[in-house]
Amino acid sequence: MLDISPDGFTLDGRPLRLLSGALHYFRSRPEQWPQRLGMLRALGLNTVETYVPWNLHEPRPGSYDFDGIADLGAFLDLSAAAGLHAIVRPSPYICAEWENGGLPWWLSADPALRLRTADPRYLAHVDRWYDRLIPLIAERQTSRGGNVLMVQIENEYGSFGTDHDYLRHLAEGLRARGIDVPLFTSDGPEDFFLTGGALPEHLATVNFGSRGAEAFRELRAHQPKSPPFCMEFWNGWFDHWGERHTVRPAEDAAGALREILDQGGSVNLYMAHGGTNFGTWAGANTADPRTGAGYQPTVTSYDYDAPIDERGAPTAKFWAFRELLAAHTDGPLPEPEPLPAPLPLTRLELTESLPLADAVGALSTGAVRSPTPPRFEELGLEHGLALYRTTVPGPRRAYPLTVQGLADRARVELDGRLLAVLERDAEHPPVEFAVPGAESELTLLVESMGRVNYGAGLGDRKGLGAVLHTQQQLHRWTVEPMPLRDGTPGLLPWAGSAAPEALTGPAFHRACFDLAEPADTYLALPGWTKGYAWINGVLLGRYWDRGPQRTLYLPWPLLRAGRNELVLLELDGSTGRTAELRPEPDLG
């Protein structure tokens, strides 16, 4: 068992400094987990830390998924086989720049439900989820011969609230379901974070990227019994669409890590290996987390400028950290396992195209009629597109169009003519239209991006609020919800598809290509604007020429020897007709 004193940790009576690295099982493919775990050992770490995203595992109420990238049990077993202890941070909220901070989208279908509080409606969902999840973790604790050393109660709660009844409900629920290893909280190293998010009866840890001595002094002032432990040492950072790619020099990050180690602290590198936000799992932030204003969606890559890059290769930061960590480990460190060479540069011709308008019937989960525009959550739609239609009576002169509560992007057309592309929280030129005849059809093709994962914007609802023509609300809407997920290309009616150059507007495009053997590669889309990419039916993620990310990591397990299929959904129109598989990434 792990024992805790103000000076540090002991495991089965022997001193243990926790040298941990964050590696999220859900951000790489299962076939790659052994290599990634081996890289942690080669870096000089003795522990792996992972979050557990509730929304990945319970996509619909009472429907659970623990297969593929969701196989938490297999990941923990592999980490034990690799000789690593494990720290598990099992939700309900994880942040992690992950969709909705890990909270299921369907919780927000009830706007009265209060997330991350002792609201009985919310706790009933948490308790049902914990009944399914926690026994899987409990059976792998060190107290039962496994490798799980510690379990988190809630994540950075001091950044959100002060409901200690809620925190204690979680802690008691973990104990009641068999967790007997130490429980902990993690928060920023300031008084309001620690007083809001920590519980005096449990271990408190702190999260920071620099000034370790100062952070540990603040922790000791508030929790004298807690040893110095940085649960998230931010050695890199994440990116938003339309912003600069973030890079932290290796020497700067190594200096901050040295300060933590010199203070006698335990540490968890966040991230040791970042990985990828596959599919639509990338979250979002807001420029003002206190109000939720200023929407900032996160890119598909979660490389994080980590010591182990998105492909699993060592970086300059890896070698700088390894030199420091080697002084705190027993015996020589294993060498990193060499990775096979990536695919050489390959150009792919997209020879088939299908207008989105011709695929609506195949993709829609069923038309919904409503007096006012329903939100995605009311439509049962987690992410993707929704085509909103209404008629505007006329004749009438030109008046301004107002779209309230847009989340997150809308292509606005009148009688098939593009009026504007609107984005959430962005300034736009005024949009006006007249109705010359008896009526006109107004359509808004609405795309959801990531749900906010931090701050007051948590519980983000997608779709539209009211739509007004001058001061008048427009009613009588018909909506076609279209999920975008793994398997979507298999629903498309490709028969009779057009040549790419014949299309304008949103459309699917397809390329088929042959490979002798699978290998890692990076998908580049020069000339393409904004959309989604699938490889062999698996949704890689979003692309956007706004950058900074210019290539999507395509891991070898998603490819196969022989015939492969690439499908793009281009939303804004493209000047490109080809894609490229490149041997190097371009993250901006």
Side-chain angles (χ1 to χ4, degrees), residues 436-453:
E439 64 180 26
S440 286
E441 182 181 65
L442 180 70
T443 65
L444 291 91
L445 179 65
V446 177
E447 177 196 7
S448 63
M449 298 285 283
R451 287 183 176 83
V452 174
N453 52 252

Side-chain angles (χ1 to χ4, degrees), residues 278-432:
F278 294 109
T280 57
W281 290 116
N285 292 91
T286 51
D288 188 341
R290 297 168 298 177
T291 65
Y295 180 69
Q296 300 168 311
T298 301
V299 303
T300 298
S301 173
Y302 201 65
D303 177 84
Y304 210 86
D305 192 34
I308 305 164
D309 72 11
E310 192 170 8
R311 186 178 169 236
T315 67
K317 198 172 287 180
F318 177 96
W319 298 111
F321 283 11
R322 175 179 156 105
E323 183 178 354
L324 286 173
L325 294 167
H328 299 276
T329 59
D330 296 327
L333 297 179
E335 292 301 315
E337 177 185 341
L339 286 169
L343 291 177
L345 176 64
T346 307
R347 289 185 172 85
L348 310 177
E349 190 78 22
L350 288 103
T351 57
E352 296 178 88
S353 297
L354 177 72
L356 176 63
D358 292 350
V360 170
L363 298 179
S364 174
T365 56
V368 175
R369 291 172 176 80
S370 175
T372 56
R375 291 286 185 180
F376 277 35
E377 292 74 17
E378 298 168 65
L379 297 166
L381 179 61
E382 67 274 30
H383 266 309
L385 304 173
L387 183 62
Y388 292 78
R389 293 191 182 101
T390 190
T391 55
V392 185
R396 62 172 67 187
R397 299 192 302 273
Y399 296 108
L401 175 74
T402 303
V403 179
Q404 297 179 343
L406 172 61
D408 301 302
R409 199 169 186 263
R411 182 182 175 93
V412 185
E413 295 186 357
L414 186 73
D415 294 330
R417 175 174 59 90
L418 180 64
L419 296 180
V421 175
L422 307 178
E423 294 183 13
R424 173 177 176 173
D425 291 351
E427 295 291 333
H428 301 96
V431 180
E432 295 189 347

Side-chain angles (χ1 to χ4, degrees), residues 342-348 520-522 524 526 579-584:
L343 291 177
L345 176 64
T346 307
R347 289 185 172 85
L348 310 177
D520 283 336
T521 186
Y522 298 88
E580 294 178 351
L581 302 180
R582 296 179 179 174
E584 299 289 339

Side-chain angles (χ1 to χ4, degrees), residues 129-464:
W129 159 233
Y130 272 16
D131 285 343
R132 180 66 177 81
L133 170 69
I134 301 307
L136 182 152
I137 300 169
E139 69 184 23
R140 292 171 169 85
Q141 296 173 104
T142 53
S143 57
R144 303 189 192 180
N147 68 328
V148 176
L149 286 175
M150 304 166 61
V151 173
Q152 183 170 267
I153 298 169
E154 228 261 14
N155 187 58
E156 295 183 318
Y157 189 69
S159 302
F160 179 82
T162 59
D163 191 343
H164 285 194
D165 291 340
Y166 164 59
L167 294 181
R168 288 193 169 91
H169 179 93
L170 296 180
E172 291 165 5
L174 292 169
R175 290 291 189 228
R177 292 169 178 85
I179 299 298
D180 53 24
V181 296
L183 302 179
F184 69 94
T185 58
S186 62
D187 289 283
E190 297 193 31
D191 56 0
F192 74 96
F193 288 135
L194 289 163
T195 54
L199 293 173
E201 62 269 32
H202 294 291
L203 172 68
T205 66
V206 283
N207 303 336
F208 55 84
S210 58
R211 302 197 302 273
E214 178 183 328
F216 288 149
R217 281 195 298 272
E218 193 71 31
L219 173 63
R220 180 60 56 90
H222 285 82
Q223 287 272 22
K225 295 181 180 179
S226 292
F229 194 165
C230 178
M231 186 53 66
E232 292 185 16
F233 167 51
W234 304 319
N235 53 70
W237 206 245
F238 54 92
D239 292 336
H240 297 128
W241 291 113
E243 299 178 7
R244 292 175 63 87
H245 175 49
T246 303
V247 175
R248 184 175 187 182
E251 60 272 18
D252 177 67
L257 176 59
R258 182 183 294 107
E259 183 178 5
I260 293 171
L261 298 173
D262 288 348
Q263 294 291 315
S266 289
V267 64
N268 178 51
L269 307 179
Y270 193 96
M271 299 290 295
H273 168 64
T276 309
N277 297 312
F278 294 109
T280 57
W281 290 116
N285 292 91
T286 51
D288 188 341
R290 297 168 298 177
T291 65
Y295 180 69
Q296 300 168 311
T298 301
V299 303
T300 298
S301 173
Y302 201 65
D303 177 84
Y304 210 86
D305 192 34
I308 305 164
D309 72 11
E310 192 170 8
R311 186 178 169 236
T315 67
K317 198 172 287 180
F318 177 96
W319 298 111
F321 283 11
R322 175 179 156 105
E323 183 178 354
L324 286 173
L325 294 167
H328 299 276
T329 59
D330 296 327
L333 297 179
E335 292 301 315
E337 177 185 341
L339 286 169
L343 291 177
L345 176 64
T346 307
R347 289 185 172 85
L348 310 177
E349 190 78 22
L350 288 103
T351 57
E352 296 178 88
S353 297
L354 177 72
L356 176 63
D358 292 350
V360 170
L363 298 179
S364 174
T365 56
V368 175
R369 291 172 176 80
S370 175
T372 56
R375 291 286 185 180
F376 277 35
E377 292 74 17
E378 298 168 65
L379 297 166
L381 179 61
E382 67 274 30
H383 266 309
L385 304 173
L387 183 62
Y388 292 78
R389 293 191 182 101
T390 190
T391 55
V392 185
R396 62 172 67 187
R397 299 192 302 273
Y399 296 108
L401 175 74
T402 303
V403 179
Q404 297 179 343
L406 172 61
D408 301 302
R409 199 169 186 263
R411 182 182 175 93
V412 185
E413 295 186 357
L414 186 73
D415 294 330
R417 175 174 59 90
L418 180 64
L419 296 180
V421 175
L422 307 178
E423 294 183 13
R424 173 177 176 173
D425 291 351
E427 295 291 333
H428 301 96
V431 180
E432 295 189 347
F433 68 85
V435 180
E439 64 180 26
S440 286
E441 182 181 65
L442 180 70
T443 65
L444 291 91
L445 179 65
V446 177
E447 177 196 7
S448 63
M449 298 285 283
R451 287 183 176 83
V452 174
N453 52 252
Y454 179 85
L458 200 66
D460 201 4
R461 304 181 84 214
K462 300 302 183 183
L464 297 176

Side-chain angles (χ1 to χ4, degrees), residues 456-528:
L458 200 66
D460 201 4
R461 304 181 84 214
K462 300 302 183 183
L464 297 176
V467 180
L468 293 82
H469 196 213
T470 186
Q471 68 190 54
Q472 182 183 74
Q473 287 194 50
L474 299 179
H475 292 119
R476 298 187 304 160
W477 291 88
T478 300
V479 189
E480 300 277 5
M482 293 177 280
L484 299 178
R485 51 173 76 126
D486 289 353
T488 292
L491 303 175
L492 299 175
W494 286 107
S497 57
E501 59 272 11
L503 295 180
T504 60
F508 289 93
H509 305 270
R510 179 162 69 169
C512 293
F513 59 99
D514 293 316
L515 293 175
E517 292 294 336
D520 283 336
T521 186
Y522 298 88
L523 175 66
L525 298 166
W528 301 85

